Amino acid sequence: MAATLDDVKVFRTAKGGAKNNGKDPVVIELRRTRGMSKRTFDRKARALEKLGSEGKLVRHKVPKRKGQDGDYVNPRDRSVTSKHREETINRETAKHTGDPAAQAEVRRKYAVMDPPKGSEGSKGMGQDPDHIHELQLGGPDNASNLSWEDAYTQRKIGKDLKYAMDQAGVEYGTPVIVRIVD
């Protein structure tokens, strides 16, 4: 588990930070686990740590709707990441005009990474656009909040954050502070 809730330490929201609706912030501990990219984990965890210290992380409900297969899906605007992916592929392949092998490698690197259900995930499969300020922690769904990161690591961090908050019963609207642990 990469994220756990530290229910022993509770901090007050930093002055000038997010409105906490009278709730004390909770501390989420992030730990890099086996299979995670060190580079991606460090970048993502440090960004979340900074946002939390600035009072900018607040648990948000990410609305769900039923998809065509009956599973619940996130109705966020997927065109934001799709457009970002397309622009990146076009920019990077243009650097390799006349080299079809290099262009194919660029397309592979930035291909959509949807592992089959029940699989271990996207370990070693490439990169995905990642919302650095997690949507579930109040981050905006726009290109300025996206960064290309290891697909497995950034997805695992997001899932583990949600799991830790769900298991601890963290209410929506609760400020969050992130602490990195070894």
Side-chain angles (χ1 to χ4, degrees):
M1 181 65 51
T4 57
L5 185 72
D6 178 357
D7 59 358
V8 177
K9 286 194 174 184
V10 178
F11 298 95
R12 297 267 175 222
T13 303
K15 189 174 182 180
K19 293 179 184 175
N20 74 357
N21 302 322
K23 298 177 184 177
D24 287 326
V26 296
V27 177
I28 300 286
E29 293 181 336
L30 285 180
R31 176 178 287 109
R32 188 168 68 91
T33 57
R34 199 175 84 198
M36 287 185 168
S37 157
K38 181 173 179 1
R39 178 188 163 277
T40 295
F41 177 84
D42 288 347
R43 288 179 66 175
K44 174 93 175 179
R46 294 208 191 297
L48 290 172
E49 185 178 53
K50 181 178 186 293
L51 289 164
S53 72
E54 294 169 353
K56 295 179 180 177
L57 299 181
V58 177
R59 184 163 195 205
H60 280 257
K61 183 171 181 73
V62 179
K64 303 277 184 180
R65 66 172 173 76
K66 272 198 175 185
Q68 292 177 332
D69 61 359
D71 284 349
Y72 282 91
V73 296
N74 183 339
R76 70 179 174 81
D77 186 0
R78 296 241 180 238
S79 69
V80 172
T81 52
S82 295
K83 183 179 178 189
H84 186 69
R85 183 183 307 278
E86 184 179 321
E87 288 171 353
T88 300
I89 289 171
N90 290 341
R91 182 180 62 249
E92 295 300 313
T93 55
K95 293 176 183 177
H96 302 286
T97 303
D99 187 349
Q103 289 180 331
E105 178 58 24
V106 166
R107 286 188 191 90
R108 186 208 59 77
K109 179 179 180 181
Y110 297 108
V112 176
M113 302 294 155
D114 286 327
K117 284 188 179 185
S119 72
E120 192 171 331
S122 50
K123 277 187 192 176
M125 291 179 62
Q127 296 188 336
D128 267 347
D130 175 39
H131 290 86
I132 295 298
H133 184 165
E134 289 276 328
L135 299 178
Q136 65 184 325
L137 294 174
D141 190 14
N142 60 41
S144 66
N145 187 33
L146 294 175
S147 175
W148 284 99
E149 301 297 343
D150 174 70
Y152 174 77
T153 303
Q154 57 102 349
R155 289 180 182 193
K156 178 107 172 90
I157 290 171
K159 287 176 187 174
D160 287 350
L161 283 169
K162 181 181 182 329
Y163 180 81
M165 290 187 291
D166 286 350
Q167 291 302 302
V170 176
E171 296 178 14
Y172 297 112
T174 301
V176 174
I177 294 171
V178 171
R179 183 171 60 205
I180 303 167
V181 295
D182 293 324

